[in-house]
Amino acid sequence: MKLTVKQQKFADNYIKSGNATQSAIDAGYSKSTSRSIGQENLTKPDIKNYIKDKLAKIESHKIMDATEALQLLTSIARGETKETVISSTPFGTTEDEKTADLKTRISAMKEILKRYPSSDKLMSAKIRKLEAEADVAEQKARDARSGGQDVGKQFDKMFDRLKEDSGK
């Protein structure tokens, strides 16, 4: 059901003020009934949904999404984003615009790379090592269930060799 003009004005004013009585007055309802009308309007499903949808739109514009966060990190890492630095001197204060220092730029790069672990050779090696350790553990569990002690010792030796190889 579509809202009437008064109901929409009420809802819009309520979103701004959070005051149902004043919103009813501002929407054109009678001052003498504004308190009860305001409370009643807040219980109507169509008005409630309208307010809920409007608030959701407002919030979605205020909250940074992942793309925007990555764009900001990228601009910091590239030195495109400037910050204002206020310095005091014997003659007063000065404001200067400067790019992020190297430490901040490196931190931004690390944050970006965390989101792309497959492009990091060290991370790939760690993942391979963890997968191999998981395979060995699974085989040991199977051998323990089947009573194959000799095979378990062989896997221990293989696991030790994996550790030695990954340390090189």
Side-chain angles (χ1 to χ4, degrees), residues 12-71:
D12 290 336
N13 286 324
Y14 183 76
I15 290 168
K16 290 176 191 170
S17 70
N19 183 325
T21 302
Q22 189 59 48
S23 297
I25 293 168
D26 293 344
Y29 291 98
S30 163
K31 283 187 180 183
S32 61
T33 60
S34 61
R35 184 166 188 228
S36 60
I37 293 290
Q39 293 306 312
E40 182 185 328
N41 277 349
L42 291 176
T43 63
K44 293 180 179 178
D46 291 335
I47 296 174
K48 283 171 56 174
N49 288 334
Y50 177 83
I51 292 171
K52 181 180 152 192
D53 291 344
K54 281 282 197 174
L55 288 174
K57 283 182 184 176
I58 290 168
E59 286 303 312
S60 70
H61 291 295
K62 288 182 179 179
I63 298 171
M64 179 183 288
D65 65 4
T67 302
E68 190 178 357
L70 284 173
Q71 288 171 343

Side-chain angles (χ1 to χ4, degrees), residues 86-99:
I86 299 174
S87 307
S88 68
T89 64
F91 307 107
T93 59
T94 62
E95 284 187 24
D96 295 317
E97 293 282 319
K98 74 169 200 116
T99 59

Side-chain angles (χ1 to χ4, degrees), residues 133-151:
E133 289 172 357
D135 290 343
V136 169
E138 286 176 11
Q139 187 60 45
K140 282 185 179 181
R142 281 194 294 270
D143 289 344
R145 282 190 295 262
S146 67
Q149 296 298 326
D150 293 334
V151 177

Side-chain angles (χ1 to χ4, degrees), residues 125-138:
K126 286 181 181 179
I127 291 170
R128 277 197 316 274
K129 180 181 175 188
L130 289 172
E131 287 172 345
E133 289 172 357
D135 290 343
V136 169
E138 286 176 11

